[in-house]
Amino acid sequence: MRTTKKYHKNIFFITTTSREKGFLHLHFENPTLMSRAKKGDLILFVYGDEKIKKAKTRDIEGHTNIKDLIIPYKESYVTLCEKTLKAIKYCTYNFNFDYIHKGDVTKVMEIEYLDIDKKNTKDYIGISAIRARKDKWGGFSHGGITRECTPCETRVFRKWANGRDLYIDSHYFDPSVYYSGWKPYSMSQKFARLIVKYGDPYNNLYKKYLAGCEDHMIGKIWKDLHLAFNLTMR
């Protein structure tokens, strides 16, 4: 029997782990984000659990339209591209929506920099941070935001990987990709469906050679598909 998928204009999914619960307050104390749930948007905190075979959600007591999403996935920094792809697949298979907005639990969801509620907006919307920095607790802050996707030079990507002792093969890195260097970033339902359809080979490549860099992977998919499918970028 065919069922109608529930519609949320916006879905915000925030990747996190059980070790990062100390950062959840950044989001529950964010009135702009919390107000979206009251308007009918959906907020998902995405965890991985390698022991389960099928994704599931659980309610968060005292909140409507805010849930935990647990996906079958072994938590690892270098496979974040897989976690992101699985979350996009879950949202696309289970809901109708206008946009998905992807965030990290260690970064405040400054959704005022996105084009939410505007008409005729783009399929891929990213932001970049000025003077981004990490504090001693593992959270991130910045000195300003620009409303644009930007490219990353190979030497800068290599420096990022070396600073985290991560293996990359820069032969597979595309420095011409424009991507969202900060969170959140947004994908239209059209773009999300294309990521679901064509994303698996990119996920495999980024896991194997590019330290699982999920935000750059999304930019790479947009670059490779935008002409064929008339995808737009802010």
Side-chain angles (χ1 to χ4, degrees), residues 159-189:
K159 181 179 179 181
W160 166 82
N162 290 341
R164 292 162 175 77
D165 197 27
L166 302 174
Y167 166 77
I168 65 164
D169 185 338
S170 55
H171 169 75
Y172 294 93
F173 182 74
D174 184 350
S176 69
V177 166
Y178 278 70
Y179 77 110
S180 184
W182 196 251
K183 306 294 189 309
Y185 57 82
S186 306
M187 299 153 279
S188 68
Q189 180 170 247

Side-chain angles (χ1 to χ4, degrees), residues 14-30 33-34 45 47 103-109 133-141:
I14 301 166
T15 51
T16 185
T17 68
S18 58
R19 299 187 304 276
E20 295 174 316
K21 289 186 175 180
F23 294 104
L24 291 175
H25 72 93
L26 296 176
H27 307 282
F28 285 101
E29 295 172 5
N30 180 346
L33 179 63
M34 292 295 104
F45 291 95
Y47 296 84
D104 289 342
V105 74
T106 55
K107 297 181 177 76
V108 175
M109 289 278 281
R133 51 194 175 270
K134 186 176 183 180
D135 62 35
K136 63 181 180 180
W137 297 283
F140 289 85
S141 60

Side-chain angles (χ1 to χ4, degrees), residues 21-230:
K21 289 186 175 180
F23 294 104
L24 291 175
H25 72 93
L26 296 176
H27 307 282
F28 285 101
E29 295 172 5
N30 180 346
T32 306
L33 179 63
M34 292 295 104
S35 70
R36 301 304 312 190
K38 294 179 182 178
K39 293 178 180 179
D41 291 342
L42 178 65
I43 301 171
L44 299 171
F45 291 95
V46 184
Y47 296 84
D49 184 347
E50 62 183 306
K51 296 180 181 179
I52 64 173
K53 294 183 178 181
K54 185 178 179 180
K56 60 183 180 180
T57 59
R58 63 187 175 208
D59 294 334
I60 297 177
E61 186 176 356
H63 294 278
T64 302
N65 293 326
I66 305 176
K67 301 175 182 290
D68 290 332
L69 169 61
I70 305 96
I71 57 175
Y73 166 79
K74 183 178 181 180
E75 296 286 7
S76 170
Y77 189 82
V78 296
T79 58
L80 281 173
C81 54
E82 178 182 344
K83 188 175 187 178
T84 299
L85 179 59
K86 285 187 172 183
I88 294 171
K89 286 182 176 181
Y90 178 86
C91 293
T92 302
Y93 293 153
N94 289 279
F95 302 104
N96 284 315
F97 54 87
D98 289 354
Y99 279 87
I100 295 176
H101 311 277
K102 196 276 180 186
D104 289 342
V105 74
T106 55
K107 297 181 177 76
V108 175
M109 289 278 281
E110 297 171 287
I111 60 178
E112 60 269 25
Y113 292 108
L114 305 176
D115 290 339
I116 294 176
D117 297 329
K118 288 186 178 181
K119 293 182 178 180
N120 302 318
T121 190
K122 307 299 183 180
D123 293 301
Y124 179 36
I125 300 167
I127 58 177
S128 298
I130 302 168
R131 297 185 302 278
R133 51 194 175 270
K134 186 176 183 180
D135 62 35
K136 63 181 180 180
W137 297 283
F140 289 85
S141 60
H142 58 76
I145 288 290
T146 60
R147 298 170 183 260
E148 60 185 356
C149 292
T150 54
C152 179
E153 298 178 21
T154 303
R155 64 173 181 83
V156 175
F157 189 76
R158 192 182 295 117
K159 181 179 179 181
W160 166 82
N162 290 341
R164 292 162 175 77
D165 197 27
L166 302 174
Y167 166 77
I168 65 164
D169 185 338
S170 55
H171 169 75
Y172 294 93
F173 182 74
D174 184 350
S176 69
V177 166
Y178 278 70
Y179 77 110
S180 184
W182 196 251
K183 306 294 189 309
Y185 57 82
S186 306
M187 299 153 279
S188 68
Q189 180 170 247
K190 176 183 175 181
F191 185 27
R193 286 174 172 172
L194 291 169
I195 292 170
V196 169
K197 185 174 182 179
Y198 295 104
D200 285 335
Y202 292 89
N203 173 49
N204 294 335
L205 184 146
Y206 273 78
K207 281 196 302 182
K208 188 172 182 179
Y209 298 113
L210 297 172
C213 187
E214 46 88 11
D215 41 14
H216 196 272
M217 180 186 77
I218 298 300
K220 174 64 172 170
I221 296 173
W222 182 89
K223 181 200 169 189
D224 289 353
L225 300 183
H226 78 281
L227 290 177
F229 295 98
N230 193 28

